[in-house]
């Protein structure tokens, strides 16, 4: 599973940093046009995925997640391959929309591994799996930059599709899904929830709601700058190897992720995932906002590396925390809703970034997203206080009536 995640993440990030440059090859467009459409093309995949992710989660809970992994990997490979033959921004937009239907390989793999892991070790194990994703994300932009500079966009898309197809073969022949069989007593006591009841559980729990909103905000902040990163690098660098340098600035965040993600998950298993999340959400804007005022490429690379170290723990800690809060029989669906909120952030971020950059500047995108990261820390603090009061009332009630 680690190698499959590595291949999918690496292949996806081969092309994502260069969407704006690819759009620019379709015609003689203004900078504001390219910036806006880069946001739209980047975001449409995640808008469609926002609606389909809970569906895949529910199907996975019922029929097994390996089937979902195969469907998504083959679908992604097919759509990416066709992107190399796009002749207009509309054609690219449609293909990215189709890709949204089958996007979800990495989130499904996280749910797949998490469901077969003890809750006490979930943060550490998911963190280990996440290293495969971030390692791929680290290598992908660098390799993609070299391929684009050397061979052009069409060959880069073709190679990317082939590598994702290889990941699907790894899943088909190398992954075995172990069905968790509950004891007879547990089966009798375990309730089966309808989709309406699952939604009721999610929206009634302030901590779950806070986690999903935090997921949206964090993803929106992170993705607000990604489609614009190549353009931003071109503003502070005069080098001819623009695609490679944009890939470097993009992937260095993945290196920070790689070095920290497992350690953050392990720390959350020991001291509590909500405490680790608070640390991450407070410190992430401290390294994100200063990226708006850099004057040299090395400054941007350093800040993005430090930012990557901080955000490396978000996914494993949020995933493990949700596992602690959600009943076993609906964990896949609840995680599916969390993935939907993540995709919602992936939609809002690029669109927000594109609009802000076109009206103001790319630097303003850093300021805006950093403020939202501070807001997400406040949401977690409020939810934690409500949870503490709820637990205190329950303890008081038990002491009163027992």
């Amino acid at each position: 599973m680690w190698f499959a995640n590595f291949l999918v993440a690496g292949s996806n990030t081969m092309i994502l940093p260069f969407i704006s440059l690819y759009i620019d090859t379709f015609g003689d467009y203004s900078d504001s046009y390219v910036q806006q459409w880069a946001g739209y093309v980047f975001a449409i995949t995640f808008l469609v995925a926002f609606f389909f992710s809970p569906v895949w989660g529910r199907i996975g809970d019922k029929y097994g997640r390996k089937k979902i992994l195969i469907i998504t990997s083959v679908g992604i490979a097919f759509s990416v391959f066709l992107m190399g033959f796009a002749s207009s921004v509309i054609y690219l937009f449609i293909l990215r929309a189709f890709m949204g239907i089958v996007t979800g390989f990495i989130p499904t793999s996280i749910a797949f591994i998490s469901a077969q892991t003890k809750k006490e070790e979930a943060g550490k194990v998911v963190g280990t799996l996440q290293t495969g994703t971030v390692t791929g994300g680290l290598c992908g932009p660098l390799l993609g930059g070299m391929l684009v500079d050397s061979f052009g966009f069409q060959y880069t898309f073709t190679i990317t599709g082939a590598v994702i197809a290889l990941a699907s073969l790894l899943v088909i022949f190398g992954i075995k899904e172990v069905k968790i069989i509950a004891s007879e007593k547990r089966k009798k006591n375990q309730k089966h929830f309808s989709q309406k009841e699952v939604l009721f559980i999610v929206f009634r729990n302030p901590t779950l709601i806070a986690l999903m909103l935090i997921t949206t905000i964090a993803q929106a902040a992170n993705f607000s700058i990604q489609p614009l990163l190549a353009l931003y690098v071109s503003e502070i660098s005069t080098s001819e190897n623009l695609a490679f340098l944009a890939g470097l600035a993009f992937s260095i965040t993945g290196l920070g992720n790689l070095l920290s993600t497992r350690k953050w998950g392990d720390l959350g298993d020991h001291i509590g995932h909500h405490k680790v999340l608070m640390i991450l959400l407070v410190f992430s804007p401290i390294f994100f906002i200063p990226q708006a005022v850099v004057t040299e490429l090395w400054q941007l690379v350093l800040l993005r590396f430090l930012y990557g170290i901080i955000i490396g723990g978000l996914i494993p800690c949020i995933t493990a925390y949700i596992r602690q809060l959600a009943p076993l029989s609906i964990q896949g669906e609840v995680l599916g809703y969390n993935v939907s909120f993540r995709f919602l952030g992936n939609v809002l971020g690029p669109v927000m970034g594109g609009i802000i950059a076109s009206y103001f500047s790319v630097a303003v995108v850093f300021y805006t997203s950093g403020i939202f990261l501070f807001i997400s820390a406040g949401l977690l603090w409020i939810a934690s206080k409500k949870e503490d009061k709820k637990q205190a009332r329950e303890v008081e009630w038990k002491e009163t009536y027992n």
Side-chain angles (χ1 to χ4, degrees), residues 345-364:
N346 294 354
V347 172
L348 297 177
V351 173
M352 177 185 72
I355 293 173
I356 292 174
S358 64
Y359 280 98
F360 301 100
S361 67
V362 178
V364 177

Side-chain angles (χ1 to χ4, degrees), residues 158-288:
T158 302
I159 294 170
T160 300
V163 173
I164 297 175
L166 177 60
S168 67
L169 293 177
L170 281 178
V171 174
I172 293 170
F173 299 107
I175 303 298
K176 181 180 180 182
E177 184 167 15
V178 179
K179 293 185 179 180
I180 301 173
I181 302 175
S183 63
E184 290 300 322
K185 183 178 179 181
R186 192 172 180 181
K187 281 183 180 179
K188 187 178 290 186
N189 295 330
Q190 184 170 293
K191 183 181 177 181
H192 294 280
F193 300 90
S194 66
Q195 188 171 16
K196 186 182 294 186
E197 288 173 324
V198 173
L199 287 171
F200 182 75
I201 290 172
V202 171
F203 287 101
R204 193 182 179 188
N205 189 316
T207 306
L208 280 176
I209 287 293
L211 288 174
M212 293 188 183
L213 289 175
I214 289 167
T215 298
T216 300
I217 293 171
Q219 288 297 108
N222 195 32
F223 275 67
S224 64
I225 198 63
Q226 287 189 5
L228 307 171
L229 201 55
L231 297 175
Y232 190 56
V233 169
S234 69
E235 293 177 6
I236 59 177
S237 174
T238 57
S239 174
E240 294 181 358
N241 298 321
L242 182 59
F244 175 76
L245 293 176
L248 174 63
F250 189 98
S251 65
I252 198 66
T253 305
L255 177 60
N257 274 215
L258 176 63
L259 296 176
S260 66
T261 185
R262 189 172 185 271
K263 293 179 181 179
W264 287 124
D266 195 17
L267 182 62
D269 289 335
H270 285 87
I271 69 171
H273 296 290
H274 65 288
K275 294 179 181 177
V276 174
L277 282 172
M278 182 60 73
I279 293 171
L280 300 176
L281 293 172
V282 168
F283 279 91
S284 56
I286 294 175
F287 296 108
F288 192 78

Side-chain angles (χ1 to χ4, degrees), residues 15 22 26 74-88 90-96 98-99 153-162 164:
I15 57 174
Y22 190 40
F26 294 146
V74 171
I76 294 170
F78 180 70
S79 58
V80 169
F81 176 79
L82 290 179
M83 286 179 200
F85 300 92
S87 56
S88 69
I90 298 300
Y91 185 11
L92 183 63
F93 182 85
I94 293 171
L95 286 172
R96 291 279 298 173
F98 170 75
M99 186 175 172
F153 288 103
Q154 182 173 344
Y155 285 108
T156 302
F157 280 104
T158 302
I159 294 170
T160 300
I164 297 175

Side-chain angles (χ1 to χ4, degrees), residues 1-2 5 109-133 261-267 269 273 315-317 319-320 323:
M1 199 73 258
W2 189 96
N5 271 21
S109 72
I110 291 173
F112 175 82
I113 296 298
S114 178
Q116 301 185 62
T117 305
K118 294 179 181 178
K119 287 186 178 182
E120 296 79 11
E121 300 176 351
K124 181 179 179 180
V125 173
V126 172
T128 302
L129 179 64
Q130 188 69 6
T131 61
T133 303
T261 185
R262 189 172 185 271
K263 293 179 181 179
W264 287 124
D266 195 17
L267 182 62
D269 289 335
H273 296 290
I315 292 178
C317 285
T319 301
R323 278 207 63 200

